[in-house]
Amino acid sequence: MTLEDFQKDITGGIPAELPAPREYDSSVNHAPRRKDILSPEQKRLAIKNALRYFEPRHHAELAKEFADELHRYGRIYMYRFRPAYEMKARPIDHYPAKSRKAAAIMMMIQNNLDPAVAQHPHELITYGGNGAVFQNWAQYRLAMQYLSQMTDEQTLVMYSGHPLGLFPSHKNAPRVVVTNGMVIPNYSKADDWERMNALGVSQYGQMTAGSYMYIGPQGIVHGTTITVLNAARKRLTAERPDIAGMLFVTAGLGGMSGAQPKAGNIAGVVSITAEINPKAVEKRKAQGWVDEVYLSLDELIPRARRAMGNKETVSLAYQGNVVDLWERLAAEEIPVDLGSDQTSLHNPWAGGYYPAGLSYEESQRMMADEPDEFRKRVQESLRRQVAAINKLTANGMYFFDYGNAFLLEASRAGADVTLPDGRFRYPSYVQDIMGPLFFDYGFGPFRWVCSSGDPNDLAVTDRLAAEVLEDMLKEAPADIKGQLEDNLHWIRKAEENRLVVGSQARILYADSEGRIRIAKAFNDAIARGEISAPVVLGRDHHDVSGTDSPYRETSNIYDGSNFTADMAVHNVIGDSFRGATWVSIHNGGGVGWGEVINGGFGMVIDGSAEADRAIGEMLLWDVNNGIARRSWARNQGAVDAIRREMQRTPLLKVTLPNFADEDVITSALSDN
């Protein structure tokens, strides 16, 4: 397809004449069939809802087709309307647009749906089994058409994948406002999502999927690397001063979890990652993110022993069920150092977790045809998995919940994961590592994308970011020096580690000062022509301010506010009037629908003075909103960090907490 044809297809939106039906491509990783949850009347409504996008003259043909999709897959994806052009991020100038910012958003959307990036690209799902960019292909086509027509005085409003339309606005307003799954709180149970998604009225945007800011597994590699690295440091002793040879065992090679073996290699450990989906294993092996693949535990276990003994840095994948792996490790008393799990347990009944004793294909059939029996099998497997993990932790393994709702779902299954006082037996990685070391100080997953698509531009950004960190290290206080050193090492090795999948993007954990200084350095480089095109700034929602999630991002908030969501809502509102190009707020994320509220942004910088102003105002708020909340929760690191920021920023005045003496409280309560 020529560039002209591609642009014509984009601007054409939903075709006036029906395109030929598309063949179901079995070479692509597809979403599992969803369970039959709609009543007969609701099925009528789902088809009626889908037909809203099309002229009545096509309804007779499309109604039958959509009814068939609903029956076969449990959803209406409108496969017929999937574009014929290659789905990938293109240079910004290739997009037909009146607004450069709109063109950048189009680039980001296509990157989220790139088959090299997306988990189920034909179902418009980027990662996590259900993290969707859109609900169907008509929504994609209409959104891209609107973006091609948009001026810098309009805003596109997105309702859970549905483009509501372009509304008059002004140049300093967000170009796109995105919501996903924002339902009435009492309707946030798993089946509520299944029902509303099948009806075509709501979707699960995960975190960066439905907000157009996913950059492939690199987006989680950095966070996973520093998590594994700091977890391994907890195992160091005078007798064992070296990380080399430590064994890290986990599960999942999907859109997000696929980062784990690469992170293990960068951290310098031996890793074993279990994955039951052959296509996911093949994808990570082909991308060079997994070194060796084993189908047999009889071959894998001796290989792992040799790697540990030789202190190798190597990533091993087990194509099989994770429960079988854990039970074998426990039976042979393998000295596992670090353990975790990153299966999609926020979505346990629809493809996020595959129980032991069933093949991959049988599980997919059972979850749709026998959902109650499948649920029993999943919960039985979780109990078995936890029993094996408990044996290994009794022998010294450090196990942590990786924010995927593993402990939550295991507890609901009756597994032995709780202490007598009701707390979980194992910590969230945020509680032990990310919260106190990173989030409390404002360090989080800052990311950027070079809209030119030119690797040379990415190399320039890497160099500039490293220069900023080097300069910051000269006067860094002791409590953040280690983080700066680890992040400087990361960015220096980024190109060497071949992290790019899809767009020319990078991630770097940085604090407020670092993000602002790095972004301003990029903006200056664009202005002088050293970077050839605008840069898109963003972050994962898994950050200091963007997400209220009591079992993950805010699990180290201990003042009782960990179940409130004011911070995430404030974050998005504040970003929207301080210079964000687009903002998003979602119900659901890595821990599940109804368990988290998270917000994100994207910002296009173009070398202008206006972009420079927005960088300073918006990034300052985007980070320090969360530090202020963590400070008020009496997290000492956050108190120290916000004090430093108030010294740097005279207009910032934050309410600081007073600390009560425990003896005073004990005495007061003893009198009553």
Side-chain angles (χ1 to χ4, degrees):
M1 178 178 285
T2 66
L3 177 59
E4 183 180 358
D5 289 337
F6 165 73
Q7 293 177 339
K8 185 176 179 180
D9 196 299
I10 292 289
T11 57
I14 298 171
E17 300 303 324
L18 295 182
R22 303 294 303 273
E23 273 189 39
Y24 188 86
D25 185 353
S26 59
S27 69
V28 174
N29 197 9
H30 285 281
R33 181 161 56 99
R34 310 299 186 184
K35 65 182 177 181
D36 185 5
I37 197 169
L38 299 183
S39 68
E41 273 306 305
Q42 288 171 332
K43 289 177 181 177
R44 292 178 60 86
L45 183 57
I47 295 168
K48 189 185 298 185
N49 287 345
L51 292 173
R52 286 184 287 192
Y53 292 99
F54 307 97
E55 296 178 16
R57 62 193 174 102
H58 298 310
H59 284 187
E61 182 174 354
L62 290 178
K64 292 178 182 178
E65 191 170 304
F66 294 162
D68 184 62
E69 285 190 12
L70 190 60
H71 173 72
R72 285 174 181 263
Y73 311 116
R75 297 291 187 274
I76 299 172
Y77 296 114
M78 306 181 186
Y79 288 120
R80 176 196 290 261
F81 295 93
R82 181 168 60 83
Y85 52 73
E86 185 179 5
M87 189 64 68
K88 65 178 184 180
R90 292 163 169 78
I92 189 171
D93 292 331
H94 286 200
Y95 293 96
K98 299 174 182 177
S99 162
R100 294 272 275 179
K101 292 180 177 180
I105 298 168
M106 295 162 84
M107 175 193 74
M108 298 299 291
I109 288 172
Q110 290 202 313
N111 187 68
N112 270 20
L113 295 171
D114 183 339
V117 173
Q119 184 182 18
H120 305 308
H122 291 186
E123 288 77 40
L124 303 109
I125 291 171
T126 302
Y127 59 82
N130 58 2
V133 188
F134 300 96
Q135 296 179 59
N136 57 58
W137 286 103
Q139 291 178 346
Y140 165 83
R141 285 183 172 274
L142 186 56
M144 295 293 278
Q145 182 186 43
Y146 276 139
L147 288 166
S148 74
Q149 298 169 344
M150 173 192 289
T151 71
D152 283 330
E153 293 185 340
Q154 290 174 300
T155 293
L156 174 61
V157 179
M158 299 295 301
Y159 269 40
S160 277
H162 167 64
L164 190 67
L166 293 171
F167 288 78
S169 187
H170 57 85
K171 66 177 184 178
N172 293 324
R175 298 280 68 79
V176 182
V177 174
V178 181
T179 58
N180 282 298
M182 299 305 293
V183 302
I184 303 304
N186 280 349
Y187 299 88
S188 276
K189 295 182 290 296
D191 277 356
D192 293 324
W193 170 73
E194 292 277 2
R195 187 174 298 104
M196 284 184 271
N197 194 225
L199 284 170
V201 297
S202 192
Q203 77 171 9
Y204 191 90
Q206 254 282 357
M207 297 182 113
T208 52
S211 58
Y212 326 141
M213 190 41 75
Y214 189 58
I215 60 170
Q218 177 190 178
I220 197 174
V221 170
H222 189 13
T224 305
T225 298
I226 56 181
T227 298
V228 173
L229 193 60
N230 282 288
R233 286 168 177 161
K234 288 178 175 291
R235 302 280 294 156
L236 297 177
T237 62
E239 295 75 30
R240 191 183 191 187
D242 191 0
I243 288 171
M246 286 190 183
L247 177 59
F248 170 47
V249 176
T250 185
L253 287 173
M256 296 292 281
S257 55
Q260 294 178 108
K262 171 69 84 172
N265 279 9
I266 297 172
V269 300
V270 179
S271 67
I272 302 176
T273 309
E275 171 59 63
I276 198 169
N277 182 350
K279 282 190 169 63
V281 177
E282 291 164 12
K283 187 176 193 176
R284 297 306 172 210
K285 183 68 169 68
Q287 290 174 339
W289 290 54
V290 167
D291 295 325
E292 302 172 19
V293 175
Y294 292 87
L295 306 182
S296 164
L297 289 173
D298 291 337
E299 295 178 3
L300 172 67
I301 299 301
R303 174 67 183 103
R305 286 185 183 275
R306 290 197 305 274
M308 294 163 68
N310 296 332
K311 293 191 173 183
E312 296 179 47
T313 295
V314 63
S315 55
L316 313 175
Y318 171 53
Q319 186 176 309
N321 193 280
V322 63
V323 179
D324 297 333
L325 172 63
W326 279 116
E327 290 181 336
R328 180 68 171 270
L329 292 167
E332 295 197 18
E333 297 185 344
I334 304 295
V336 181
D337 293 283
L338 309 172
S340 194
D341 184 284
Q342 213 174 71
T343 52
S344 297
L345 270 162
H346 69 279
N347 181 33
W349 324 124
Y353 184 91
Y354 288 78
L358 296 176
S359 69
Y360 179 65
E361 293 74 20
E362 179 63 10
S363 286
Q364 291 204 315
R365 184 202 66 76
M366 186 181 284
M367 70 180 69
D369 296 342
E370 302 176 63
D372 292 340
E373 178 63 23
F374 184 75
R375 187 185 187 105
K376 291 178 185 176
R377 295 291 191 98
V378 166
Q379 293 189 322
E380 178 189 352
S381 275
L382 284 169
R383 291 192 292 270
R384 286 172 54 185
Q385 183 173 342
V386 168
I389 288 168
N390 288 348
K391 288 180 183 178
L392 289 161
T393 57
N395 290 331
M397 177 177 74
Y398 173 70
F399 185 86
F400 55 93
D401 184 290
Y402 217 156
N404 63 329
F406 175 77
L407 292 178
L408 183 64
E409 287 302 332
S411 69
R412 289 168 175 168
D416 183 14
V417 291
T418 53
L419 298 170
D421 64 2
R423 290 181 298 124
F424 288 134
R425 178 189 297 267
Y426 304 111
S428 155
Y429 74 117
V430 173
Q431 284 177 290
D432 264 18
I433 298 169
M434 298 304 293
L437 291 178
F438 292 87
F439 292 167
D440 282 353
Y441 294 95
F443 283 86
F446 183 49
R447 46 177 70 168
W448 61 88
V449 181
C450 296
S451 71
S452 63
D454 186 350
N456 293 323
D457 279 350
L458 187 61
V460 173
T461 63
D462 286 347
R463 175 179 58 78
L464 292 172
E467 289 173 0
V468 168
L469 295 183
E470 287 168 354
D471 192 52
M472 289 178 65
L473 264 170
K474 294 174 185 175
E475 298 182 357
D479 52 0
I480 65 170
K481 193 168 185 178
Q483 290 94 311
L484 288 171
E485 288 171 343
D486 284 349
N487 291 314
L488 179 58
H489 176 75
W490 161 269
I491 199 68
R492 284 173 173 164
K493 295 284 186 179
E495 187 171 357
E496 175 185 321
N497 283 314
R498 295 180 299 157
L499 298 165
V500 169
V501 177
S503 59
Q504 293 295 314
R506 188 68 75 225
I507 184 172
L508 174 65
Y509 270 63
D511 63 359
S512 173
E513 180 185 7
R515 298 185 209 200
I516 292 170
R517 289 178 61 175
I518 290 167
K520 284 178 175 284
F522 294 170
N523 200 51
D524 290 344
I526 296 167
R528 62 177 180 264
E530 191 175 359
I531 296 174
S532 66
V535 170
V536 178
L537 305 178
R539 56 161 168 77
D540 193 349
H541 299 196
H542 174 55
D543 200 357
V544 56
S545 292
T547 297
D548 281 296
S549 178
Y551 298 108
R552 196 163 84 176
E553 283 79 3
T554 46
S555 61
N556 71 318
I557 299 290
Y558 300 111
D559 69 346
S561 70
N562 51 324
F563 286 91
T564 66
D566 302 84
M567 179 179 71
V569 175
H570 285 159
N571 182 258
V572 170
I573 294 171
D575 284 354
S576 70
F577 62 76
R578 286 182 172 89
T581 305
W582 72 96
V583 292
S584 60
I585 190 158
H586 304 174
N587 170 15
V591 294
W593 176 270
E595 304 287 356
V596 51
I597 299 294
N598 67 84
F601 78 89
M603 177 191 282
V604 180
I605 60 171
D606 56 8
S608 66
E610 179 58 32
D612 190 75
R613 179 201 62 77
I615 288 167
E617 292 183 5
M618 203 217 76
L619 293 184
L620 181 80
W621 160 259
D622 189 68
V623 176
N624 284 288
N625 166 48
I627 300 177
R629 184 265 180 97
R630 291 167 185 276
S631 168
W632 188 241
R634 295 184 293 270
N635 292 14
Q636 188 59 59
V639 173
D640 296 340
I642 204 66
R643 285 186 190 277
R644 282 199 292 265
E645 191 58 64
M646 284 193 284
Q647 290 173 353
R648 276 194 298 262
T649 309
L651 291 178
L652 180 65
K653 307 290 183 185
V654 170
T655 309
L656 296 176
N658 293 298
F659 288 74
D661 188 306
E662 293 290 344
D663 292 338
V664 171
I665 297 171
T666 301
S667 176
L669 290 172
S670 67
D671 294 337
N672 292 282

